Amino acid sequence: MCNSILQVDVVIPTQTKYLDLIGSIGEHIARDIDEFSGDREALAYHLNLVLTEATTNAIKHASAVMRPEDTVRITIHIQDNELNIKVYDHGQGFDLETVPLPDFDQLNEGGMGLYFIRSLMDSVTYTKKNDGNVLEIIKHL
């Protein structure tokens, strides 16, 4: 059982040039989780993809008008065999339940991010708050 606690808190500008950094943080965490008995390389790939997609969505949809002072905050918390990722943005938000599945017969370049996140993780919720929005992603280890 993994009882150790890991907390990572990153705040980046709403610029896509930071996506590689966010993805690599996920990879490093996956490779260093104490007592994880699963496939570390698969988890590293999944965390990179999930963090990159979630952050991309937050940056793209953060606000109708991109302002240089806008930021996206990403927290990663591991405790008691649970990985909890939260991505905070200041956009108008959306209803997670109304996001359609991608059309696999006519794939577009975009629109796959939430599908991948939901497919690879155990729980995905999106909450609108007064001071922003939170996409919460949980993976049981």
Side-chain angles (χ1 to χ4, degrees), residues 1 17 41 112 122 138:
M1 182 181 326
K17 68 180 181 179
E41 287 306 309
M112 296 290 290
D122 295 314
I138 295 174

Side-chain angles (χ1 to χ4, degrees), residues 29-49:
I29 287 172
R31 292 185 179 119
D32 292 337
I33 295 174
D34 292 336
E35 303 174 30
F36 177 67
S37 61
D39 183 341
R40 285 181 190 275
E41 287 306 309
L43 182 62
Y45 176 76
H46 293 169
L47 286 183
N48 183 326
L49 179 65

Side-chain angles (χ1 to χ4, degrees), residues 114-131:
L114 280 173
Y115 173 77
F116 287 137
I117 294 169
R118 287 175 144 170
S119 298
L120 297 172
M121 300 290 116
D122 295 314
S123 169
V124 180
T125 58
Y126 188 79
T127 309
K128 294 182 186 182
K129 307 216 179 224
N130 290 340
D131 58 342

